[in-house]
Structure formats: C-alpha cells, structure tokens
Amino acid sequence: MKKIQMVDLKGQYEHIKDRVNASVLDVIESTAFINGPEVHQFQKELEEYLDVKHVIPCANGTDALQIAMMGLGLKPGDEVITADFTFAATVEVIALLGLTPVLVDVDPVTFNIDVEAIRNAITPKTKAIVPVHLFGLAADMDSIMEIATAHDLYVIEDNAQGIGATYTSKAGSKKKVGGIGHVASTSFFPSKNLGCYGDGGAIFTNDDALAHTIRGIVNHGMYIRYHHDVVGVNSRLDSIQATVLRAKLPYLDSYNAARRNTARKYTKAFAGNPRIITPTGFCDAGNSICEVCDCHVFHQYTLRIIDADRDALVQHLNDHDIPCGVYYPIPLHLQKAYADERYNEADFTVTNQLVREVISLPMHTELDDEQIDFITSTVKNFIDQQ
Ligand SMILES: *Cc1c(COP(=O)(O)O)cnc(C)c1O
C-alpha cells in the first residue's frame, strides 16, 4: 500500500507535470513575473468558472478577507459577526482592522455559522456577517442574505475551503459559492481544493464599484500610477502561481468529484455506527452524500466521535501511520488573542463540544480503495475496542 498522506500534492502534480513545468518555464522566459498576462488570463478564467463579474487576485486568502473588508469601508468600532469554529484568519483580519469581532456558535450538523445565533448577535453597530463555507460545505446563504437585507448588513463569504461548491437556494436556483454575498475571498494555499505552489488568494464580487475600489487597494491605493487615493496594501498573485492555477482550474471539478467519491466511501464504511457521526451535505436527507450536485466539496472530511476518546483515536491512527487532523482544537472565543469578557460560555455549547469530538481524515484527490479501507477499518477497530 502507498504511504497515506493527509494531502497528496505530489501525486496530483504527477498528472499535470508536463503542462505545469512548461508553463512555469514560459513565465520565467517571459520575465513578466508580476501582473503578467498569466495573472490576467487566470482572472478571466476564474470569473467564467465561478460566474462572477469580478475576480481580483491577491497574495493569499487572509489578505483577501482583509482587502474585502477595507473595500467595503468598514470602520473601527463596526461589529462583524463570524463563526467561533473556523480558522483564525477570519477573526484575525477583523481585529487587525480595528473592527470588533463578534463570534457566534455554529450548527452541530453542518459545522457552519448558526443563523439564530447571528440574529441574536445583531446590534446597531453590526455592519457585516462573515459566513465561512467550512470544510467545503456552503453556509445557509438564503437565511444569511435574508438577515443581511433586513438589517442592511454586508455579507463577506470566506470561501477559502469551498471553491467549486454549488449552493442551491430554497427557490431552487443554483450558484457557485463565493458569488452570493456582496464580496467573497478565497485562498490558493497549496492544500486548498484549488491550490497553487506557494501563496495565493483572490477576492470576488459582482459589484462594479466595489471591484474598482478593491483593484486600487491591492495596489497601494493607486487608481492612477503614483496617485494614492486611499490607503492600500501590496497584495499580488505572482505570474508563476497564476500559471500553475491555470493548469489546475480545468481539473477543479474532477478534483472535487474525486474528493466526494472518497467521502462517499468513508461514509458508507462508517454507516450504522452510532458513535461515528459522518458529515452531511446541505441538500441531502440524512447522512448520505448527495449523488447529484456538488453541494459539498470536502476540503475536509470531518467526523464527530461520540462517547469515545477522540485524542486516543488520533494517537491510534498515527500509530498506524495514518495522518489525521483536528480542525479546530480550540474555539476562537477561548483563544488569548480573541477572548472578550462579553462572551458567555452558554452561547458556545456547540463549538465547545465540537472541539472535543471532531477528527478530519486524509482527504485529497489521490486516495485509492486500499488506503480508504485501511483508514476506515483502523478507525472502526479503535471505536469497537472502546
Ligand atoms: C486557509 C484559510 C484562510 C487563509 O488563507 P491563506 O491563504 O492561508 O491566508 C482563511 N480562512 C479559512 C477558512 C481558511 O481555511
């Protein structure tokens, strides 16, 4: 059996090696390293793929979130509501800009921001909601957009984990996530579903004026060369990363399909075990994984382990050379940097429980059946012995 990796970038590279190597060499020959034609082409191709009017490439997914918030003109003191159960980048940029992060609990089934908790957290100072499409599953965008409209709030989708996922609204219309809110961010960090070979990110919006503002912000606040109209940043996607992304974008749907296929096999193997709760898709009933649409792109395949020692399971898997991850082990509201006396533990019962129960299994495009069988039987053996 091949050694199991949490993420197998090497195996994926082998399939696209000729194209990637040739295009990277072309960029080097062209010496158009920054803002070259490859960046522009990638931007156009991603706009088409996502069906959004504007993609603005930038240096990474954390910058993308920060720039989106700067573009919306959020000001110190403005409150921004986001999920307690996510990667810290989301809350970090809110705090960095002097905005006030308001962390709220998540839904135990989808792991995504709890819509009731958003409603309860709104104050006259609230200016924006940042839903994260956690682990590749779209947040409840119908309800979030409805709340935003009712209270005149911006919605910034953190789509670092959900690129390529489709959201089906209650009315039945389908949209790629990242094109639903006022603005969205994504990351092309190597292990993301669409990853480059270094750092990269992008901002998406359908709003022409906001796109114009953001294009200046990523480039030192310049709209005309050497005229600095607003305070900006330096955040660029370089041409080598863009050319890698151009080589991979045509495969994104098949990469996501391979992830879903693996997820289906995992879920089938764990079916009927009451102590292993498998992840759910948004549009399906029960715990089966939707066969017809890409509502979940499985950036992570995350189980909840009930009435068993999750940390001992992590150790057991590592002892069998199976990598795994705990995303995330500490709720953001309990992190030193983001603690706030306004928070009340009773408002975070789901996150406080999830951090003890979750475990993410290896998930990438190259897992084979032998590896999947070994992973699932090793998990089940451990649970059966508990
Ligand atoms: C990865 C990630 C980010 C940050 O992206 P970087 O490119 O690493 O800066 C932000 N939010 C979420 C939810 C992420 O998973």
Side-chain angles (χ1 to χ4, degrees):
M1 188 175 64
K2 276 190 305 180
K3 185 170 161 41
I4 298 172
Q5 316 270 352
M6 191 67 187
V7 176
D8 184 0
L9 296 175
K10 183 75 198 253
Q12 192 186 59
Y13 167 64
E14 293 297 336
H15 300 297
I16 50 171
K17 190 171 185 164
D18 292 344
R19 157 91 200 253
V20 168
N21 289 7
S23 358
V24 168
L25 281 177
D26 282 348
V27 172
I28 296 173
E29 291 288 346
S30 78
T31 71
F33 296 116
I34 302 288
N35 275 340
E38 288 298 297
V39 177
H40 190 69
Q41 280 304 321
F42 171 64
Q43 173 200 319
K44 291 281 165 222
E45 287 160 7
L46 191 58
E47 283 167 355
E48 195 168 314
Y49 173 83
L50 292 168
D51 195 22
V52 293
K53 267 176 101 176
H54 306 280
V55 166
I56 301 110
C58 68
N60 58 68
T62 309
D63 276 8
L65 269 171
Q66 176 179 331
I67 293 160
M69 290 177 203
M70 291 170 76
L72 291 172
L74 301 183
K75 296 275 177 317
D78 288 350
E79 293 180 1
V80 180
I81 298 174
T82 193
D84 190 34
F85 189 61
T86 175
F87 182 56
T90 323
V91 66
E92 178 178 66
V93 298
I94 299 172
L96 260 180
L97 291 174
L99 313 174
T100 306
V102 177
L103 296 167
V104 301
D105 213 354
V106 297
D107 180 274
V109 175
T110 64
F111 303 137
N112 277 323
I113 194 161
D114 182 309
V115 171
E116 259 334 287
I118 298 177
R119 285 203 181 90
N120 294 335
I122 291 174
T123 75
K125 289 184 178 168
T126 308
K127 286 285 153 36
I129 308 169
V130 186
V132 182
H133 305 304
L134 200 74
F135 303 149
L137 175 65
D140 179 359
M141 292 307 292
D142 275 345
S143 306
I144 292 167
M145 295 310 293
E146 207 178 284
I147 296 172
T149 306
H151 296 271
D152 203 13
L153 308 175
Y154 293 118
V155 174
I156 305 159
E157 295 175 71
D158 180 345
N159 194 23
Q161 302 188 1
I163 197 157
T166 300
Y167 177 74
T168 305
S169 73
K170 288 179 197 113
S173 72
K174 289 183 184 295
K175 261 192 181 167
K176 287 255 169 27
V177 300
I180 303 168
H182 299 92
V183 60
S185 62
T186 200
S187 164
F188 304 122
F189 185 78
S191 65
K192 305 282 162 139
N193 290 33
L194 179 63
C196 57
Y197 293 169
D199 272 310
I203 303 134
F204 323 141
T205 184
N206 288 309
D207 179 327
D208 298 340
L210 180 60
H212 174 75
T213 304
I214 287 174
R215 283 205 184 91
I217 291 174
V218 298
N219 189 25
H220 303 289
M222 287 193 285
Y223 298 90
I224 301 169
R225 211 176 165 120
Y226 299 120
H227 293 248
H228 303 274
D229 294 357
V230 295
V231 177
V233 294
N234 168 19
S235 187
R236 297 184 280 236
L237 181 72
D238 69 68
S239 305
I240 289 181
Q241 300 312 332
T243 210
V244 170
L245 290 165
R246 286 194 70 201
K248 290 177 75 171
L249 181 59
Y251 298 103
L252 178 57
D253 284 342
S254 65
Y255 290 161
N256 284 339
R259 288 171 176 272
R260 266 198 309 285
N261 202 21
T262 296
R264 234 175 253 129
K265 290 175 184 169
Y266 278 150
T267 291
K268 195 161 169 238
F270 296 130
N273 195 320
R275 290 194 293 168
I276 303 176
I277 302 188
T278 54
T280 188
F282 200 71
C283 70
D284 51 333
N287 269 356
S288 64
I289 289 160
C290 179
E291 296 278 344
V292 291
C293 78
D294 37 12
C295 55
H296 198 324
V297 293
F298 290 98
H299 176 61
Q300 299 293 346
Y301 181 90
T302 303
L303 298 172
R304 289 175 58 196
I305 301 298
I306 309 296
D307 291 332
D309 184 342
R310 188 274 319 271
D311 293 333
L313 173 59
V314 170
Q315 188 59 51
H316 180 79
L317 292 178
N318 290 340
D319 290 346
H320 289 79
D321 267 335
I322 299 172
C324 59
V326 172
Y327 310 116
Y328 297 91
I330 304 172
L332 290 176
H333 80 277
L334 293 178
Q335 299 283 359
K336 255 194 218 161
Y338 306 113
D340 188 318
E341 59 197 16
R342 292 177 314 165
Y343 292 137
N344 180 352
E345 283 310 301
D347 292 332
F348 298 101
T349 49
V350 177
T351 305
N352 286 341
Q353 186 175 342
L354 290 178
V355 295
R356 293 194 306 267
E357 293 177 348
V358 290
I359 181 167
S360 300
L361 299 183
M363 178 47 84
H364 52 79
T365 55
E366 313 299 316
L367 284 160
D368 62 34
D369 285 351
E370 191 186 8
Q371 294 174 313
I372 293 169
D373 288 344
F374 181 64
I375 295 164
T376 54
S377 57
T378 309
V379 171
K380 285 193 289 187
N381 285 342
F382 172 85
I383 297 288
D384 290 344
Q385 283 159 21
Q386 285 270 298

